Amino acid sequence: MSKTSIKINLTHKAYLRDPESTELGRRIIKESIILIDELGFEQFTFRKLATVLGSTEASIYRYFENKHKLLVYLVSWHWAWLDYSVLFQTNNMPDPRLRLSRAIDVITTSGTDDPATAHVNESALYRIVIAEASKVYLTKEVDMDNKDGYFLEYKRLCHHIAEMVLDVNPNYPYPHALISTIMEAAHQQLFFAQHLPSLTEIKGTQRRPEEAAAFLKHLVFAAVDQNYKAA
Amino acid sequence: MSKTSIKINLTHKAYLRDPESTELGRRIIKESIILIDELGFEQFTFRKLATVLGSTEASIYRYFENKHKLLVYLVSWHWAWLDYSVLFQTNNMPDPRLRLSRAIDVITTSGTDDPATAHVNESALYRIVIAEASKVYLTKEVDMDNKDGYFLEYKRLCHHIAEMVLDVNPNYPYPHALISTIMEAAHQQLFFAQHLPSLTEIKGTQRRPEEAAAFLKHLVFAAVDQNYKAA
DNA sequence: ACTTTTTTGATAGTATTACTATTATACAGG
DNA sequence: CCTGTATAATAGTAATACTATCAAAAAAGT
C-alpha cells in the first residue's frame, strides 16, 4: 500500500455534514474511534465525546443525527477500506485458490494500522468492528437503513469475495452465504478466543489472526472443493 | 416431546428473584418476550413493559436488575431449551452422521412453538434470539458476565454438538470453532434472508429454515470429512 | 381466625441520555 | 472590509434508567 493518503468515499450519507470536510469533523471521527473502543458503544455518548473534543454536543449533532449513524459511518468506512485492501492485495494473482486464500488473510488480519490512513486508528476501528459491527444491522430499522444504502460497502465486499469463490468452483451453490458466514465468523472467533475461549480452538495467545485464518481457509476450501452430496 | 410441562433450570442467576416462582414473574417473562419481539431490544423499556402488565417499573426491578439481565435470562432459557431439545431428538441415534445432521436440523428449525412450554412464546423468543442474542455477549461486561456463568447454557450446547462432530471425525481440529460458527450462522443467514438477501443464497420465501439447514449441513460435513490440506 | 411475612402497587424523586433551539462569536475567503 | 460558514455557549425538554419509601393486598404459618 502506498504512502499517499487515501480518501475512502462512502456511497451513502450516514452523516448530515461530511466529517472529512472540516477540522472538527475529522476530530469527531478520530476521537470517537478511540472513545467507542474504550467505553464500548453502549456507554459511549455524544456528551462524553464532546468533553474529549473540548466541544459541545450540539456541534457533534451537526455532523451525525445520533450515535448509531456515527457507528454506521465508522463501520462502513472499515468495509470500504477492507474492500479496497482486498482488491489491492489480490491484484494480479492469477491462481484463483491463492487469490481466495489471500483474501481470507486480509479480512482476518486487517487489525493493523496503515500509514496511508493516518487520521484513523485502524486497529482500534477493527476492535470496534469485531465487537459492534453486527449492532449496525441488528435493529428494527434494518430495512429502512438498507434502503438508504447503509450496507452497500459490506455487500460489495462480500460480493467480491463470493466471486472469488465462484472462480475456484463455479458450481458451488452458496458463495454469498459462505462468505457472509466467514466474514462474521472471523470477528466472532477472534472475540471468542479472547473472551469465551471454550467456544473455539483458536487460542487466546499470540498469532490469533493467523490461527483464525487457518480455520476459515480450512472451512472455505473444504466447502468449495466438496462434490455435493447430501448428508 | 411429551405434553407434560418442562421446567428449564438455569444454572446462573441473571435474575434477582426467580420469575418462575410468582404470577407476576411469569407474566414478566411472557409479556417481555412479546414486547421485545415487537419493539426490538433498544426500544424496549421496563416502563413500557409495566404498562402492558398493568404493574409498575419498581415491581419489575425486583425481578431483574435491568433489561440486559432480562435478555440474558430469556436467551439462556432458549439455549437450555434447545440443548434439551437436541438431546431429546438425537437420543438413540446410533449413526454419528445422522445424529449430527439431526442436531443441525433442530438448531435451525427451533422457531416453532412447543406445547410443553406453554407460558413461553417459543417462536417469538426464537426471533429475539436471532436478532438480539449476540448483544448478550457483545458488551464491555462480557468477562464479568462470563465469570458469573451467564453463557454456560450456550457453551454447553456448543460442546454437545462439538462432541457429535468428533464422533464423526475424531481428527477434525476445530470442532468448537465450527459449531460456534454455524450456531451464529444459523441466525445470521435467516436474518439476512429476510432483511439483506444479497448476502445469502437462502431465499426469503418459504422453507427458509430447511434451506439454511441444507447450507449448514453442506458446510459442516465438507469440513468434517475433508482430509486436512493447507490451501 | 390471627399473625407474620412476602409480594405488589402507588408515589415520588434523581441522574443521565438524547436530543433541539437560539444566539453570539470566531475565522476564512473573496 | 464584508460575508458566509463553523463553532461555542447556554438553555431547555422528554425520556430513560434507575432508587426509595410506604401502604395495601395476598399468602403462608400456627
Side-chain angles (χ1 to χ4, degrees):
Chain A
M1 188 129 352
S2 84
K3 279 188 180 175
T4 51
S5 179
I6 294 159
K7 171 87 161 69
I8 301 283
N9 289 304
L10 302 182
T11 41
H12 56 82
K13 296 263 160 65
Y15 52 77
L16 295 171
R17 178 177 306 185
D18 184 0
E20 294 292 337
S21 69
T22 65
E23 182 58 27
L24 180 63
R26 285 184 293 270
R27 291 182 60 225
I28 288 172
I29 301 307
K30 184 175 180 175
E31 299 299 329
S32 68
I33 289 171
I34 295 166
L35 204 56
I36 293 173
D37 179 38
E38 212 173 284
L39 304 176
F41 187 64
E42 279 72 30
Q43 301 308 313
F44 168 83
T45 67
F46 278 1
R47 176 160 302 226
K48 290 172 185 170
L49 178 58
T51 304
V52 170
L53 291 169
S55 178
T56 62
E57 272 183 284
S59 297
I60 300 169
Y61 275 106
R62 291 202 194 90
Y63 288 85
F64 294 97
E65 234 179 292
N66 52 52
K67 67 176 186 170
H68 186 257
K69 302 263 168 128
L70 171 57
L71 184 64
V72 170
Y73 179 87
L74 294 177
V75 169
S76 294
W77 192 96
H78 174 83
W79 295 132
W81 178 83
L82 195 54
D83 188 46
Y84 171 84
S85 189
V86 166
L87 186 75
F88 189 90
Q89 305 259 19
T90 58
N91 200 21
N92 294 324
M93 291 183 79
D95 180 356
R97 299 183 72 83
L98 287 176
R99 202 162 60 228
L100 179 55
S101 178
R102 173 71 64 86
I104 296 172
D105 282 325
V106 174
I107 65 171
T108 47
T109 58
S110 59
T112 49
D113 281 309
D114 188 315
T117 54
H119 65 296
V120 172
N121 184 337
E122 204 15 65
S123 64
L125 180 52
Y126 188 60
R127 286 193 295 272
I128 292 174
V129 169
I130 288 176
E132 323 287 359
S134 59
K135 295 171 191 170
V136 161
Y137 61 80
L138 291 178
T139 71
K140 280 286 169 190
E141 295 79 36
V142 59
D143 296 321
M144 270 179 47
D145 288 354
N146 188 29
K147 222 170 243 170
D148 290 341
Y150 288 7
F151 312 119
L152 281 174
E153 287 79 15
Y154 186 60
K155 292 191 219 168
R156 193 182 305 133
L157 172 58
C158 282
H159 187 65
H160 283 158
I161 307 181
E163 297 220 301
M164 295 185 194
V165 167
L166 289 177
D167 288 342
V168 173
N169 178 1
N171 296 314
Y172 178 67
Y174 305 109
H176 292 86
L178 178 65
I179 295 306
S180 62
T181 294
I182 71 137
M183 291 282 300
E184 301 289 325
H187 304 142
Q188 281 151 22
Q189 294 299 311
L190 291 173
F191 188 90
F192 290 160
Q194 195 177 355
H195 300 291
L196 301 165
S198 67
L199 292 177
T200 183
E201 279 74 24
I202 289 148
K203 291 282 159 287
T205 56
Q206 285 149 327
R207 299 182 55 76
R208 230 182 265 149
E210 288 80 3
E211 286 183 56
F215 162 62
L216 294 175
K217 284 183 203 176
H218 185 275
L219 187 60
V220 167
F221 283 102
V224 175
D225 287 337
Q226 193 196 40
N227 295 326
Y228 193 95
K229 57 173 178 187
Chain B
M1 189 132 346
S2 86
K3 280 187 182 177
T4 50
S5 179
I6 294 159
K7 172 84 160 69
I8 300 283
N9 289 303
L10 302 181
T11 41
H12 56 82
K13 296 261 159 70
Y15 53 77
L16 296 170
R17 179 178 306 185
D18 185 0
E20 295 292 337
S21 70
T22 66
E23 182 58 27
L24 180 63
R26 284 183 294 269
R27 290 182 61 226
I28 287 172
I29 300 306
K30 183 174 181 174
E31 298 299 330
S32 67
I33 289 171
I34 294 166
L35 204 56
I36 293 173
D37 180 38
E38 212 173 284
L39 303 176
F41 187 63
E42 280 73 30
Q43 302 307 314
F44 168 84
T45 67
F46 277 2
R47 176 161 303 228
K48 291 171 185 170
L49 178 59
T51 304
V52 171
L53 291 170
S55 178
T56 61
E57 273 182 283
S59 296
I60 300 168
Y61 275 106
R62 292 201 189 93
Y63 287 84
F64 293 97
E65 235 179 291
N66 52 51
K67 69 175 183 169
H68 185 257
K69 302 262 168 131
L70 170 57
L71 183 64
V72 170
Y73 180 88
L74 294 177
V75 169
S76 294
W77 191 95
H78 173 83
W79 295 133
W81 178 83
L82 195 54
D83 187 48
Y84 171 84
S85 190
V86 166
L87 186 77
F88 189 90
Q89 305 261 16
T90 59
N91 200 22
N92 294 325
M93 291 183 79
D95 180 357
R97 299 183 71 84
L98 288 175
R99 201 163 60 227
L100 179 54
S101 178
R102 172 71 64 85
I104 295 171
D105 282 326
V106 174
I107 66 171
T108 49
T109 58
S110 58
T112 49
D113 280 309
D114 187 316
T117 53
H119 66 298
V120 173
N121 183 337
E122 209 6 73
S123 63
L125 181 52
Y126 188 61
R127 287 192 296 272
I128 292 174
V129 169
I130 288 176
E132 322 287 358
S134 58
K135 296 172 191 170
V136 162
Y137 60 81
L138 291 177
T139 71
K140 280 287 169 186
E141 295 79 37
V142 58
D143 296 320
M144 268 180 46
D145 288 354
N146 187 32
K147 221 170 244 173
D148 290 342
Y150 287 8
F151 312 119
L152 281 173
E153 287 80 13
Y154 187 59
K155 293 191 219 170
R156 193 183 305 131
L157 172 59
C158 283
H159 187 66
H160 283 158
I161 306 181
E163 297 220 300
M164 295 184 192
V165 167
L166 290 177
D167 288 342
V168 173
N169 178 1
N171 296 315
Y172 178 68
Y174 305 110
H176 292 85
L178 178 66
I179 294 308
S180 61
T181 293
I182 72 137
M183 291 284 299
E184 301 289 324
H187 303 142
Q188 282 151 21
Q189 295 299 311
L190 292 173
F191 188 90
F192 291 159
Q194 196 177 355
H195 300 290
L196 302 165
S198 65
L199 292 176
T200 184
E201 279 75 24
I202 288 147
K203 290 281 158 288
T205 56
Q206 286 149 328
R207 300 183 54 78
R208 228 182 268 148
E210 288 79 3
E211 286 182 55
F215 161 62
L216 294 174
K217 284 182 201 173
H218 184 275
L219 187 59
V220 166
F221 283 102
V224 174
D225 286 339
Q226 193 198 39
N227 295 327
Y228 192 95
K229 55 173 175 183

